[in-house]
Amino acid sequence: MSPRNQVLGHSYSWFERPPGFVFRKQRTRGGANLILRCDDVLLPTLAERYGTPLYVYSATAIREGLKVFQTAFRDVLHTICYSVKANSNLSILRLLAKEGCGFDVVSAGELERALAADSTVARRVVFSGVGKSRDEMTAALKAGILIFNVESESELLLLAECAAQQRKMARMALRVNPDVAADTHPYIATGLRKHKFGVPTGAARRLYAMAAKSRYLKIAGVSVHIGSQITETAPFGEAMMRVADLVRALRAEGHAIEYVDVGGGLGIEYQQPRNNFVEYVANYARAVIEPLRGLNLHLLLEPGRSIVGPAGVLLTSVLYKKQNDGKRFVIVDAAMNDLIRPALYRAYHEITPVVQRQNSSREETVDVVGPVCESGDFFARDRNLPEVEEGDLLAILDTGAYGMVLASNYNTRPRPAELLVSGKSVKIVRRREKLRDLYAAEL
Ligand SMILES: *Cc1c(COP(=O)(O)O)cnc(C)c1O
């Protein structure tokens, strides 16, 4: 517990994520222990009652994350359209909708979830994605969503056709690719010419002119999304400068541009030192707003990870410890099918014992690995961890985003249960899968 982090005058260890996940001191006969809790509930209690592996989310942290965005953008007209793909659990969507959130969806499935969470939310839904099918467009038109982010000429034509068929106006923005580089993993960078997303800024005006000729398309905005897990604010500012130029050019040509969809992508600090989130989002807001000043726009924001990422942990139990020629392994009951980020992006997640014994300061260097039959099935490599024992409980931190949504049944492993904790209240928001669920759809 040596490294400390200052948040609002309080000192926290690197293994705490206030306000959701903080250690509480508990005296025992052998000395004092520090026990990790989610809101007001101790995590060992949840592991005992619901088993592991287990995703646990803090409602307080989610609300707080959203509030930080709302506050940072309070001086401009804006709608926060939470990116459903980061964590699409219905109860989390419902919680966010109650706080005034709209949604960014990338499939008919996500649209249906958003509507199931809040049947009145359609007017705050934006539909993104390079490969919307005819059926998906039709469903979104029927629901009456706020705006389609169109990503190609062919999609524009198909949207016009679907809208005409239903005699419904489709409000649309073109997703432009501003060709700005952002420092992130290549799989989640999207803002360069070589990426499949959006249309080049240079081609945009021709496509807007095309859209203007269609009776059932209503040009309403310009959209961008330059990637995910971007921890510098400058690339967002750069993208907005290009968008601002485009908005001026489009308006000069007579197009009514009301919305700018800024996309999502603001990263979180998975590793120490962690930044001050409030200042960080305020800087992000400044970078985004400044280039658009005076244009009188309605901003659409699509944060995902930055709201739910630090609000979740994956709890897992140590099954075995073993040493192969001096290399130490901690084998846990969660695996790459439950959390694929380390395997897919070589992502770093902080891992901590849920109970830290204060009088034992021994550390060891270990690989934390799961039971799946792949060497890529690891959560940490050569990591210094406090010495753990078989049966101990570990928390893998910052797994509220791109955790459960990317989980699979590889190795015919049931996906974990998900809990949403709010203060003292604990809700099972997704039950653990049963083995028979896994083959129920098969012949
Ligand atoms: C993935 C995605 C987001 C959310 O990204 P985060 O990094 O989770 O904030 C927002 N908009 C679009 C179009 C996306 O594809």
Side-chain angles (χ1 to χ4, degrees):
M1 294 287 288
S2 42
R4 311 296 290 178
N5 197 7
Q6 295 290 325
V7 179
L8 299 171
H10 290 278
S11 172
Y12 292 100
S13 81
W14 300 122
F15 307 109
E16 300 187 279
R17 297 292 181 267
F21 297 90
V22 176
F23 280 101
R24 174 184 290 168
K25 199 177 248 175
Q26 200 169 69
R27 299 196 178 284
T28 61
R29 258 179 298 150
N33 284 342
L34 291 171
I35 302 180
L36 193 59
R37 59 181 166 83
C38 176
D39 282 20
D40 298 330
V41 183
L42 294 173
L43 291 178
T45 315
L46 296 178
E48 222 165 276
R49 193 171 311 158
Y50 302 102
T52 56
L54 180 68
Y55 276 104
V56 183
Y57 309 119
S58 157
T60 306
I62 295 171
R63 279 193 206 98
E64 184 62 29
L66 176 64
K67 208 174 81 196
V68 171
F69 274 90
Q70 288 167 335
T71 307
F73 284 91
R74 77 191 151 212
D75 291 338
V76 296
L77 191 57
H78 74 275
T79 304
I80 296 176
C81 298
Y82 165 75
S83 179
V84 171
K85 77 174 192 283
N87 186 326
S88 56
N89 186 284
L90 270 189
S91 295
I92 288 179
L93 300 187
R94 199 170 295 132
L95 180 162
L96 287 165
K98 259 193 205 131
E99 303 288 325
C101 234
F103 297 111
D104 165 44
V105 303
V106 294
S107 69
E110 286 190 353
L111 172 63
E112 200 165 307
R113 274 179 187 276
L115 293 171
D118 177 353
S119 60
T120 67
V121 85
R123 265 315 190 111
R124 283 179 279 145
V125 167
V126 303
F127 194 172
S128 307
V130 285
K132 302 175 197 76
S133 71
R134 179 189 293 269
D135 287 351
E136 288 181 315
M137 287 179 183
T138 304
L141 281 165
K142 280 215 172 96
I145 65 162
L146 175 63
I147 206 162
F148 288 85
N149 288 331
V150 172
E151 302 212 16
S152 66
E153 177 172 342
S154 305
E155 185 191 336
L156 186 79
L157 296 173
L158 182 57
L159 181 61
E161 193 188 310
C162 288
Q165 234 162 33
Q166 290 192 56
R167 298 178 196 289
K168 283 222 166 103
M169 291 302 288
R171 274 173 304 277
M172 53 89 49
L174 214 54
R175 174 165 171 184
V176 295
N177 192 325
D179 198 30
V180 298
D183 183 22
T184 186
H185 190 281
Y187 290 2
I188 51 177
T190 60
L192 281 179
R193 216 184 322 225
K194 67 176 179 188
H195 296 131
K196 68 178 175 181
F197 298 97
V199 299
T201 324
R205 288 160 67 181
R206 183 178 64 83
L207 293 183
Y208 276 103
M210 234 173 101
K213 293 202 192 96
S214 164
R215 246 185 88 190
Y216 287 95
L217 293 182
K218 164 131 184 40
I219 293 171
V222 175
S223 151
V224 286
H225 171 71
I226 57 172
S228 196
Q229 185 51 20
I230 298 166
T231 51
E232 294 194 320
T233 54
F236 294 105
E238 223 175 289
M240 282 310 122
M241 275 186 256
R242 298 191 188 173
V243 167
D245 288 342
L246 180 60
V247 168
R248 278 186 278 265
L250 291 172
R251 282 179 172 171
E253 281 161 21
H255 302 301
I257 304 296
E258 183 185 353
Y259 296 96
V260 160
D261 186 335
V262 178
L266 189 64
I268 59 174
E269 304 281 3
Y270 287 96
Q271 252 173 297
Q272 55 192 12
R274 286 169 62 80
N275 53 26
N276 177 321
F277 187 67
V278 174
E279 284 172 17
Y280 173 57
V281 178
N283 285 340
Y284 166 75
R286 258 193 301 278
V288 164
I289 292 169
E290 202 43 51
L292 304 175
R293 204 170 284 288
L295 289 176
N296 203 15
L297 291 158
H298 185 142
L299 296 193
L300 302 173
L301 305 159
E302 303 172 345
R305 183 195 316 265
S306 48
I307 289 181
V308 292
V313 302
L314 175 59
L315 288 185
T316 184
S317 304
V318 176
L319 295 174
Y320 304 109
K321 289 179 76 178
K322 76 175 194 181
Q323 271 194 52
N324 288 350
D325 290 334
K327 175 116 184 136
R328 291 162 195 267
F329 293 95
V330 171
I331 301 162
V332 297
D333 65 357
M336 65 188 285
N337 73 293
D338 304 304
L339 174 67
I340 203 175
R341 297 193 69 259
L344 187 58
Y345 311 118
R346 299 195 133 255
Y348 183 99
H349 283 274
E350 211 71 82
I351 300 177
T352 177
V354 167
V355 178
Q356 298 205 352
R357 296 170 192 93
Q358 271 197 314
N359 51 8
S360 89
S361 55
R362 294 244 302 257
E363 287 202 341
E364 54 186 351
T365 305
V366 297
D367 281 16
V368 180
V369 302
V372 160
C373 307
E374 291 214 18
S375 295
D377 182 24
F378 64 90
F379 294 119
R381 282 182 163 159
D382 296 320
R383 184 77 61 90
N384 285 328
L385 282 188
E387 208 170 33
V388 297
E389 289 163 23
E390 295 179 356
D392 279 1
L393 198 57
L394 301 180
I396 308 177
L397 303 187
D398 302 315
T399 47
Y402 306 107
M404 184 62 174
V405 285
L406 278 163
S408 75
N409 295 120
Y410 189 37
N411 281 204
T412 307
R413 288 170 50 89
R415 282 175 293 178
E418 295 175 286
L419 305 182
L420 182 61
V421 179
S422 182
K424 288 189 173 59
S425 125
V426 178
K427 280 208 189 92
I428 309 179
V429 293
R430 190 180 205 275
R431 68 161 172 82
R432 186 178 300 284
E433 277 176 333
K434 299 190 171 94
L435 285 176
R436 65 171 170 276
D437 296 333
L438 273 51
Y439 53 85
E442 297 172 23
L443 278 189

